[in-house]
Amino acid sequence: MHDVARLARVSVSTVSYVLTGTRPISDATRARVLEAMATLDYQPNAMARGLATRRSRIVGLLMPMSERGFGATETAFVTGAAAAASDAGYHLVLSPIGAGDLDDLRRLASQRMVDGVALMEVQVDDGRVTALQELGVPLVLIGRTSDTTDMSYVDIDFDQTVREAVDHLVGLGHQKIVYVNHSAATIAAGYGPALRTRDSFVAAMAGYGLEPVMIPADDSAAGGRAALAEALGKAPDLTAVLAMNENAIFGILAELSVRGRRVPHDVSVVSMVTSPAVAELAHPALTAMTSPGAALGRLAVEALLRQLDGTGAQHQQLLPCALEVRGSTCPVARPKNELTGTGLPGG
């Protein structure tokens, strides 16, 4: 920095202000400093700066690697978060710390390896949130606990998302709709999206005077097959399936095919909280409630960085998924006697 200052004919503090942006510097002076840096091939030492400022310029994204694995939809959250961190001159570190890994979480926080964290896969009662608050770690949730008082979060608007999915199917004439959720273990553990979509589905169906049928499914193709078999046992006349389980959706489609149920002519299928990459893999391509994952990842990190800079108030924001109609939904098929007029009174 002394060499840069000498070549640019400015003070060392001016070089520091150009690097950190902590004070306004004229365009002409900034240009001289940057030219001197380029001439000397000067690169700031991030570790040294971190020691001096007590900031690592690293933020953590805590995302447990569950049985669902890491697919295209999860990747969108990470890429959005990483882009926001990079734009602000930060690095993003992904850490698979789950709700039961509190010792690892406390170790991460106590070593000051990150300046703050964004937390994913949030449970309605999540011990990680309490632990981070007690440790004084700046925190933003991608998801919500049951009590969001004094919490900053971004999340999917599950009420609107489920309502629009049910509206789409009912608008096509479907009344026998089955919802395939995440696994029973995931629901029992209090995973927020699984609980909120369950409740939203019940409310949306009740709004139409229809009976809600929900089936839990393990997060695998085999789980999807088993869930579809169970669904047909409970509602043999089902005409539509709404699913929020990307790993199970292909098993659902396969089981429908094995049982001679054509998609969408016999059974319409909507995949919920899904990336376009996954929806386009299916045949036919899936009508989906597309996840705003990249936007949520970016919003969470931007809110976190405002906390770190002391410029951000509490941030709470919901984004709905967007309905994208593809080839897996169509109007419900009418019984043959309605098509031919046979067997009807007065026919």
Side-chain angles (χ1 to χ4, degrees), residues 25-101:
I25 300 295
S26 71
D27 291 342
T29 301
R30 181 183 299 278
R32 289 211 314 275
V33 171
L34 294 177
E35 183 180 356
M37 289 173 59
T39 299
L40 296 172
D41 191 24
Y42 170 73
Q43 298 292 330
N45 186 301
M47 293 183 66
R49 288 177 64 191
L51 289 172
T53 63
R54 297 188 178 183
R55 295 274 286 273
S56 68
R57 306 292 293 184
I58 298 172
V59 292
L61 180 62
L62 308 188
M63 182 177 182
M65 298 293 106
S66 66
E67 62 185 45
R68 294 191 297 283
F70 196 79
T73 300
E74 291 80 12
T75 299
F77 284 92
V78 177
T79 55
S86 178
D87 290 347
Y90 279 75
H91 295 285
L92 182 81
V93 173
L94 182 65
S95 180
I97 295 179
D101 303 326

Side-chain angles (χ1 to χ4, degrees), residues 253-270:
L253 294 173
E255 190 67 16
L256 285 169
S257 178
V258 166
R259 292 172 178 261
R261 302 283 185 107
R262 298 169 302 163
V263 177
H265 306 292
D266 299 321
V267 178
S268 285
V269 177
V270 175

Side-chain angles (χ1 to χ4, degrees), residues 27-322:
D27 291 342
T29 301
R30 181 183 299 278
R32 289 211 314 275
V33 171
L34 294 177
E35 183 180 356
M37 289 173 59
T39 299
L40 296 172
D41 191 24
Y42 170 73
Q43 298 292 330
N45 186 301
M47 293 183 66
R49 288 177 64 191
L51 289 172
T53 63
R54 297 188 178 183
R55 295 274 286 273
S56 68
R57 306 292 293 184
I58 298 172
V59 292
L61 180 62
L62 308 188
M63 182 177 182
M65 298 293 106
S66 66
E67 62 185 45
R68 294 191 297 283
F70 196 79
T73 300
E74 291 80 12
T75 299
F77 284 92
V78 177
T79 55
S86 178
D87 290 347
Y90 279 75
H91 295 285
L92 182 81
V93 173
L94 182 65
S95 180
I97 295 179
D101 303 326
L102 297 186
D103 288 341
D104 291 340
L105 179 62
R106 293 188 181 96
R107 190 176 303 112
L108 177 71
S110 64
Q111 293 175 352
R112 299 190 181 278
M113 297 172 63
V114 295
D115 294 332
V117 300
L119 188 65
M120 286 192 64
E121 300 292 281
V122 179
Q123 298 180 355
V124 293
D125 183 13
D126 201 310
R128 295 172 298 171
V129 174
T130 303
L132 288 167
Q133 288 175 324
E134 291 174 348
L135 292 165
V137 177
L139 170 67
V140 174
L141 306 184
I142 304 178
R144 286 168 285 165
T145 52
S146 57
D147 181 3
T148 57
T149 305
D150 298 326
M151 290 296 307
S152 287
Y153 67 81
V154 297
D155 199 6
I156 292 172
D157 187 334
F158 290 107
D159 285 341
Q160 182 176 337
T161 296
V162 174
R163 185 172 62 250
E164 289 184 0
V166 172
D167 288 347
H168 172 66
L169 291 171
V170 173
L172 293 172
H174 296 280
Q175 296 189 351
K176 300 294 184 178
I177 304 169
V178 170
Y179 175 45
V180 177
N181 203 334
H182 287 295
S183 69
T186 300
I187 295 170
Y191 179 51
L195 298 180
R196 289 190 171 91
T197 53
R198 177 197 63 189
D199 296 343
S200 297
F201 178 69
V202 170
M205 293 290 281
Y208 285 106
L210 301 176
E211 179 184 359
V213 177
M214 189 204 79
I215 307 293
D218 290 340
D219 295 291
S220 65
R225 287 178 176 273
L228 195 279
E230 183 179 348
L232 289 172
K234 290 186 175 181
D237 54 348
L238 70 86
T239 64
V241 174
L242 172 62
M244 190 183 70
N245 191 322
E246 281 188 354
N247 292 338
I249 193 70
F250 292 99
I252 292 169
L253 294 173
E255 190 67 16
L256 285 169
S257 178
V258 166
R259 292 172 178 261
R261 302 283 185 107
R262 298 169 302 163
V263 177
H265 306 292
D266 299 321
V267 178
S268 285
V269 177
V270 175
S271 185
M272 195 164 60
V273 192
T274 301
S275 75
V278 172
E280 295 289 352
L281 284 174
H283 181 73
L286 290 167
T287 293
M289 303 302 298
T290 300
S291 169
L296 289 173
R298 174 174 284 279
L299 287 168
V301 169
E302 289 174 346
L304 177 60
L305 297 182
R306 288 194 296 272
Q307 277 191 42
L308 297 178
D309 293 338
T311 60
Q314 181 186 88
H315 184 93
Q316 298 185 344
Q317 185 173 2
L318 300 178
L319 294 181
C321 294

Side-chain angles (χ1 to χ4, degrees), residues 2-42:
H2 282 278
D3 293 338
V4 171
R6 189 178 304 112
L7 183 59
R9 301 185 306 280
V10 298
S11 67
V12 174
S13 60
T14 297
V15 176
S16 177
Y17 298 150
V18 170
L19 292 173
T20 62
T22 54
R23 290 191 183 180
I25 300 295
S26 71
D27 291 342
T29 301
R30 181 183 299 278
R32 289 211 314 275
V33 171
L34 294 177
E35 183 180 356
M37 289 173 59
T39 299
L40 296 172
D41 191 24
Y42 170 73

